[in-house]
Amino acid sequence: MFAALDLGTNNCRLLIVSSGQRGGRIIDNYNRVVRLGEGLYDTGLLSDAAMDRTLIALHHCAARIHRRKSYNLYAVATEACRRASNASSFLDRVKQETGLNINVISPREEVELAVCGCRTFLHDKVLRRNRTKTLLFDIGGGSTEIAWVRIDPVKRKQTLIGCCSIPVGVITLKEQFKKLTLNEYYQMVDFVMNKINHFERIHQIRAEILREQVQFIGVSGTVTALASMILKQPKYSRAAIDGLLLDTTQVKDMIRHILVSKFNKIYDYATVHHSKLHYLLPGCAIFEAIHTIWPAEDIVVADRGIRDGIITSMQENKLTKNNKHNFNLPHFLVKN
């Protein structure tokens, strides 16, 4: 058994996979919105209410993990715990109450895990379309990670050319732009563009996109939610979303539709189906900023990420069975 726990700014996610000679099989998949980073932008602290919510979810995760007879576990925390001054005491409390030892990972490690989790898509001939590089982005609750990756289709390997992490996610952006008027929506887009322009100036990715050399992959609840809405799913289906190839015009059209629905107070499918529109809209603004700078024609939607990267890394490194503790995560991508 391989268990991966990802404690993010907005969500707490657990994935448990059994691995055998015939491949892997998902045993358990848990995802709860905990909003751990709620209020962090204003106070620099994890609030008592947010920590209590998160601890409830982590108790559920611990119970699901410990009922397995044999497992390898790696648990990570990201931006909220990187930023909050009381994160260390909170994680000590988590360990004491649940037995879970959660490691705070760096932005670079977070990017590497997301890339590793999406590796199947990087080497899929249909999804890659003979492109030599990949631009992968992951819109989180407290930060957004961007990876610029070179693909070697012959050796089926990938090299991380460069990456950046901006401290802007759906929760932090919502708390910074509190009124969320239409004017503020476009201010959010400009704000995010200013954060990522430096990365574009260094790597000149836009020119590669215009030469049709770049695969575009979106990893986030924002992108998967938009894809689900485009497909008009009555209930979210991961099987239909994960690996879906969309024209980016479809995504932009859905965002326009949401904006019209929100600010003209038209209560149709878009607003009714997604009651948490106040978190979706900041994610849409981040996507618009990314796509404005890097106008790819199509996008691969990935309902996977850090947990999948952890599982892949553990499986490939043949970690010792019955290891009920965390271990040092190996560097599984080639670095510059």
Side-chain angles (χ1 to χ4, degrees):
M1 295 287 180
F2 295 96
L5 190 150
D6 169 21
L7 179 58
T9 304
N10 196 37
N11 291 73
C12 176
R13 299 180 175 96
L14 171 70
L15 181 65
I16 301 177
V17 173
S18 69
S19 183
Q21 292 181 346
R22 296 183 180 181
R25 181 169 62 93
I26 295 176
I27 300 298
D28 202 349
N29 189 5
Y30 176 87
N31 184 3
R32 286 293 180 274
V33 176
V34 294
R35 303 190 310 280
L36 177 61
E38 191 171 63
L40 179 60
Y41 176 80
D42 292 323
T43 67
L45 297 168
L46 303 176
S47 71
D48 290 339
M51 289 189 287
D52 289 343
R53 282 194 304 267
T54 303
L55 265 167
I56 292 171
L58 290 172
H59 275 290
H60 286 300
C61 290
R64 288 166 179 256
I65 293 167
H66 294 315
R67 72 169 63 122
R68 313 295 169 188
K69 293 181 179 179
S70 173
Y71 60 85
N72 303 275
L73 167 65
Y74 192 75
V76 303
T78 54
E79 184 65 17
C81 289
R82 284 196 291 261
R83 194 185 306 181
S85 57
N86 61 340
S88 179
S89 60
F90 170 64
L91 294 179
D92 287 343
R93 180 185 169 193
V94 168
K95 185 175 181 180
Q96 183 177 4
E97 292 190 20
T98 70
L100 295 172
N101 185 22
I102 301 178
N103 294 327
V104 180
I105 58 174
S106 69
R108 172 90 185 202
E109 289 171 313
E110 187 174 352
V111 168
E112 290 179 339
L113 285 169
V115 171
C116 187
C118 293
R119 191 172 60 186
T120 301
F121 297 155
L122 301 179
H123 300 287
D124 185 296
K125 291 182 179 179
V126 175
L127 296 178
R128 187 170 53 81
R129 297 186 176 187
N130 295 318
R131 292 162 182 171
T132 57
K133 292 176 182 173
T134 295
L135 181 68
L136 181 147
F137 65 92
D138 184 356
I139 302 171
S143 65
T144 296
E145 277 65 45
I146 298 169
W148 181 224
V149 184
R150 181 182 295 109
I151 307 301
D152 185 338
V154 177
K155 296 181 180 179
R156 291 185 64 82
K157 291 184 178 181
Q158 64 280 339
T159 303
L160 188 61
I161 302 169
C163 64
C164 74
S165 176
I166 60 171
V168 178
V170 297
I171 289 182
T172 51
L173 206 56
K174 175 185 175 293
E175 292 182 351
Q176 189 168 353
F177 294 84
K178 300 180 187 299
K179 294 180 180 178
L180 202 55
T181 61
L182 185 59
N183 183 53
E184 279 207 335
Y185 175 82
Y186 287 109
Q187 287 179 20
M188 287 193 292
V189 175
D190 291 339
F191 177 76
V192 177
M193 286 177 64
N194 288 332
K195 294 285 187 182
I196 58 180
N197 266 322
H198 180 67
F199 193 69
E200 161 59 18
R201 286 195 294 270
I202 292 173
H203 295 285
Q204 301 293 305
I205 299 169
R206 184 184 179 93
E208 300 257 17
I209 288 175
L210 296 177
R211 289 197 295 269
E212 299 183 353
Q213 292 297 307
V214 180
Q215 178 192 38
F216 197 48
I217 299 180
V219 183
S220 73
T222 296
V223 177
T224 56
L226 289 170
S228 179
M229 295 168 73
I230 290 168
L231 296 183
K232 296 184 178 180
Q233 292 183 332
K235 184 179 179 181
Y236 183 82
S237 170
R238 182 183 187 272
I241 297 297
D242 189 40
L244 179 67
L245 183 64
L246 291 173
D247 289 339
T248 48
T249 53
Q250 294 175 276
V251 182
K252 298 292 283 290
D253 287 346
M254 179 53 71
I255 292 174
R256 299 281 82 73
H257 179 65
I258 293 170
L259 290 174
V260 169
S261 301
K262 166 69 175 176
F263 296 110
N264 290 348
K265 297 182 180 180
I266 302 170
Y267 296 97
D268 63 356
Y269 177 83
T271 51
V272 172
H273 189 61
H274 283 273
S275 58
K276 296 178 181 178
L277 202 60
H278 50 292
Y279 286 121
L280 182 60
L281 279 174
C284 291
I286 296 171
F287 173 84
E288 287 220 61
I290 291 171
H291 188 258
T292 300
I293 293 176
W294 298 304
E297 292 185 356
D298 51 56
I299 180 171
V300 179
V301 181
D303 187 349
R304 55 182 69 194
I306 292 176
R307 295 177 305 165
D308 305 85
I310 291 171
I311 296 292
T312 299
S313 179
M314 288 195 291
Q315 289 174 328
E316 290 185 349
N317 284 275
K318 299 177 182 178
L319 299 170
T320 306
K321 293 182 178 180
N322 300 320
N323 177 10
K324 291 181 170 53
H325 304 281
N326 276 327
F327 39 80
N328 293 325
L329 188 68
H331 294 290
F332 43 80
L333 289 180
V334 177
K335 298 184 179 181
N336 290 339

